[in-house]
Amino acid sequence: MDEPLNLVLFSGTDDKLQAAAVLAAGAAALGKPVNVFLQYWALDAFRRDRIGRDHGLSPEAGTEGRRHVDHLHKAGQASWADTLRQAKDLGSIDIQACSLSMDLLDIDSTDLDPLVDGVEGVTAFYINAGEGQVVFI
Amino acid sequence: MDEPLNLVLFSGTDDKLQAAAVLAAGAAALGKPVNVFLQYWALDAFRRDRIGRDHGLSPEAGTEGRRHVDHLHKAGQASWADTLRQAKDLGSIDIQACSLSMDLLDIDSTDLDPLVDGVEGVTAFYINAGEGQVVFI
Amino acid sequence: MDEPLNLVLFSGTDDKLQAAAVLAAGAAALGKPVNVFLQYWALDAFRRDRIGRDHGLSPEAGTEGRRHVDHLHKAGQASWADTLRQAKDLGSIDIQACSLSMDLLDIDSTDLDPLVDGVEGVTAFYINAGEGQVVFI
């Protein structure tokens, strides 16, 4: 029951990040600790100067999907970053950048949005994950 | 042992939905309860008037992948929707639409194929998931 | 504690396969048995005559992502195949091809790289997975 939910975020498109934020916020609201591990293009999306940008959608969204997402955005839907910020106030969400992906993207921790709590390697990720679920998004 | 397998379906391309249907059917055949939670483009693919359509493949499939998929289809391979229908007769598979994605796509439950058993929020998803595996596809 | 980590690899792009190899190697280094189940485009990437090729990146990588990946490659980063080969020496990693995907791609076991230990169906996959985590990549 006390085992955390562990989300490995790989994709950096707004639709997948929104799905991830909803899963994280839902688990946190139920009192479950949530660990988020940022890799590759998801990590890129958490850069301080990029987090507020349009990060595109999965190719399969097409123009109809794009229209639906834009419509909700104009109607005031919280962005995935805002959903995560609010969820951090509600529950326990720890967001860590993957050190290998930091090297890949050639960035350091000062480049990251304050939503990100630190940088760790995959071994630390597994140790914090314990016996909890690992979900790759 | 009695914990369900919980599949969060996000992608709506035929290759990912087929992979998901095989994982669901395999678990159900082994007597494991399966919960399926439909988000975004996967939910769109379960619309009554779209479920039988060609939903495309992942971009990486390329023309060679497309050819292989078409060949199996012509040889009589069951579609992912048929695989799920058959699996529901074999075991316990509950398919729920994510209420947030229903809003996003601006559809209501009458728009959905009868394969979908209902609509629920992420909290209900987690409660039904219990301590079972969560797999994001 | 002794339950394996079970990775279902679906995607065959170099970025996702590298992320998967790092997760597999990290778990193996911690003494956790790892089962890898190859489906669709991931299976295609493990063909003997293709494993050393450039398998492309996720569309969202863009030209900037491509540049970063190429830079690390030139700097001597191990490929995902090499990471898996090394990880097999460190720990217990069993790599199985999905029999349905073998049919789809019209290949047999002699077409596969020696990294692949065998071919199995989804039922065998679940039996070997036991109560361990299932992660879809």
Side-chain angles (χ1 to χ4, degrees), chain B residues 74-90:
Chain B
K74 279 176 196 150
Q77 188 198 39
S79 70
W80 54 264
D82 284 339
T83 300
L84 286 175
R85 282 185 196 103
Q86 292 158 13
K88 276 197 158 190
D89 291 335
L90 290 175

Side-chain angles (χ1 to χ4, degrees), chain A residues 3-65:
Chain A
E3 293 294 339
L5 174 70
N6 307 286
L7 305 179
V8 180
L9 305 194
F10 173 92
S11 294
T13 56
D14 285 326
D15 48 356
K16 283 218 175 156
L17 289 168
Q18 184 70 40
V22 167
L23 290 173
L30 289 167
K32 211 172 179 67
V34 179
N35 295 317
V36 178
F37 190 55
L38 302 174
Q39 295 186 322
Y40 278 84
W41 324 121
L43 176 60
D44 193 70
F46 277 79
R47 292 169 74 141
R48 185 188 291 274
D49 59 346
R50 297 186 182 184
I51 195 165
R53 282 194 198 169
D54 177 348
H55 298 91
L57 301 175
S58 305
E60 62 185 283
T63 52
E64 185 184 330

Side-chain angles (χ1 to χ4, degrees), chain A residues 15 18 23 60 64 68 133, chain B residues 12 40-41 126 132-134:
Chain A
D15 48 356
Q18 184 70 40
L23 290 173
E60 62 185 283
E64 185 184 330
H68 284 304
Q133 305 286 333
Chain B
Y40 278 83
W41 324 121
Y126 277 122
Q133 305 286 334
V134 177

Side-chain angles (χ1 to χ4, degrees), chain B residues 5 15 18 23 60 64 68 133, chain C residues 12 40-41 126 132-134:
Chain B
L5 174 69
D15 48 356
Q18 185 70 40
L23 290 173
E60 61 184 285
E64 184 183 330
H68 284 304
Q133 305 286 334
Chain C
Y40 280 84
W41 323 122
Y126 277 123
Q133 305 286 334
V134 177

Side-chain angles (χ1 to χ4, degrees), chain B residues 5 7 32 57 73 87 96 100-101 110 119 137:
Chain B
L5 174 69
L7 304 179
K32 209 171 181 67
L57 300 176
H73 181 68
Q96 296 286 330
L100 285 174
S101 291
T110 60
V119 179
I137 298 180

